[in-house]
Amino acid sequence: GVLKKGKSQTITVSFIGQQESHIEELISININGTYRFFFTVKAQVEVHVFGVPPSSLKQVSLKGLRIPRILDYLRSYLTDNGGLKLPDIFIKVPDSMLCYALRQQLNSQHSISVKASTEALYCVAHLISCFFQELPQPILCSMPLATISLNDKESVKRAFQELSPESMALFAWLLDLMSTVLEYYSYNRVKLDSFVEEMVLCFDKKEKEKVKQLIRHQLTQSASVHVTTQRSISLNQVSNFSSLKARSGRLLEQKNNNETTENVKKSG
């Protein structure tokens, strides 16, 4: 840009590190093609998993859905150790000191080294919620919530089309997790309304009442989110909500099967 004589300008230099490392960069600034200034930037990069853009984290692919690996790790830790059967999982307030310790472990080594105790499992559930609540951009922030009519399928479909592929994948993952938790009601006694109330801030911090209605609607009206290999997004109604049980990865397979059936009908 142009900087007038006697004026000042602040220049911000940003670095995004995807692995822990030392940074030492030489920055050059040219003024009027005549004056050149140099300065060195030194920094220690620490890769945290909370409060950062999901795209900056290592990803895993679940049949077309790109999900931060840390989420898949936390879910596996929770489910493999019987966490979904614990009373009031995701609702009970966990031990704050243990949560802090596990959070530090996840930020430093992206894994948990403590034994999977009951209290640790409550902490992991809480940290999953923290991951979504601390995202720089909530997953539903770009959705026009005010214009959604939950009784109008096309209105809901258009609203979801406003989400980025990244936000859609995170939404599908979280909705799938919530549905799985509710399936263990006979063990954990987690009720739909209290669960939605607890998790609403994971989706968006504004329009809370509208978000709660939307999530409750998705969990009770058998809605399934599909992401195609071309990364185009649609929202289709299905007859059985259990299709979400197989995690978000199976959504792609079901979408492709539906498209194949439609093509066969047309050709016939």
Side-chain angles (χ1 to χ4, degrees):
V2 178
L3 184 62
K4 295 182 179 180
K5 185 177 180 180
K7 300 294 183 179
S8 62
Q9 180 177 342
T10 301
I11 299 174
T12 303
V13 180
S14 299
F15 295 94
I16 297 179
Q18 294 188 333
Q19 60 182 9
E20 292 189 4
S21 62
H22 294 280
I23 288 180
E24 184 170 341
E25 295 288 340
L26 182 65
I27 308 298
S28 172
I29 300 178
N30 295 316
I31 299 179
N32 294 332
T34 303
Y35 301 98
R36 178 175 291 184
F37 297 90
F38 297 92
F39 61 93
T40 302
V41 174
K42 295 182 179 181
Q44 171 68 34
V45 177
E46 294 182 355
V47 182
H48 289 189
V49 297
F50 295 96
V52 300
S55 58
S56 69
L57 300 173
K58 291 184 178 180
Q59 308 278 309
V60 293
S61 180
L62 301 176
K63 296 185 179 181
L65 293 171
R66 300 288 293 171
I67 300 295
R69 188 172 65 180
I70 191 65
L71 287 179
D72 192 55
Y73 171 80
L74 291 175
R75 176 168 179 162
S76 296
Y77 186 97
L78 190 64
T79 57
D80 293 349
N81 293 290
L84 299 187
K85 294 183 178 181
L86 293 177
D88 291 327
I89 190 68
F90 283 95
I91 296 176
K92 180 182 176 181
V93 178
D95 181 88
S96 59
M97 292 185 65
L98 181 57
C99 267
Y100 178 79
L102 297 185
R103 184 187 181 102
Q104 293 299 98
Q105 286 186 17
L106 290 168
N107 275 331
S108 61
Q109 61 193 38
H110 297 188
S111 63
I112 294 173
S113 58
V114 302
K115 183 180 179 181
S117 64
T118 296
E119 197 57 48
L121 292 170
Y122 279 116
C123 288
V124 167
H126 176 72
L127 290 173
I128 291 175
S129 298
C130 288
F131 178 92
F132 284 94
Q133 291 181 31
E134 296 175 20
L135 288 173
Q137 295 291 331
I139 56 178
L140 295 185
C141 69
S142 62
M143 178 180 285
L145 293 166
T147 65
I148 296 178
S149 174
L150 298 179
N151 296 323
D152 182 355
K153 295 180 181 180
E154 287 302 313
S155 171
V156 176
K157 179 179 178 179
R158 287 192 300 270
F160 273 99
Q161 288 174 341
E162 296 297 319
L163 296 181
S164 67
E166 179 180 76
S167 294
M168 179 63 83
L170 290 172
F171 176 84
W173 187 92
L174 185 53
L175 196 71
D176 176 46
L177 176 61
M178 291 181 68
S179 71
T180 306
V181 170
L182 292 170
E183 287 175 3
Y184 282 84
Y185 173 78
S186 60
Y187 296 95
N188 58 39
R189 297 299 176 183
V190 173
K191 297 181 180 179
L192 174 62
D193 287 343
S194 58
F195 194 23
V196 171
E197 180 73 31
E198 185 68 27
M199 300 295 286
V200 63
L201 294 180
C202 294
F203 294 92
D204 198 7
K205 294 179 175 62
K206 299 179 180 179
E207 301 282 351
K208 288 174 57 177
E209 290 304 316
K210 193 73 172 185
V211 172
K212 284 190 286 187
Q213 293 174 19
L214 175 65
I215 301 307
R216 191 181 296 109
H217 179 269
Q218 297 304 308
L219 290 171
T220 57
Q221 296 298 316
S222 303
S224 179
V225 178
H226 301 278
V227 182
T228 71
T229 53
Q230 288 76 30
R231 310 290 284 173
S232 59
I233 303 169
S234 63
L235 185 74
N236 297 319
Q237 296 295 325
V238 293
S239 59
N240 192 344
F241 186 67
S242 63
S243 62
L244 280 175
K245 285 174 59 179
R247 297 193 181 188
S248 17
R250 283 190 58 188
L251 303 177
L252 175 64
E253 181 179 357
Q254 184 177 347
K255 171 70 174 179
N256 291 337
N257 290 340
N258 291 342
E259 291 177 347
T260 301
T261 302
E262 292 180 1
N263 290 335
V264 170
K265 290 181 180 179
K266 290 180 180 178
S267 60

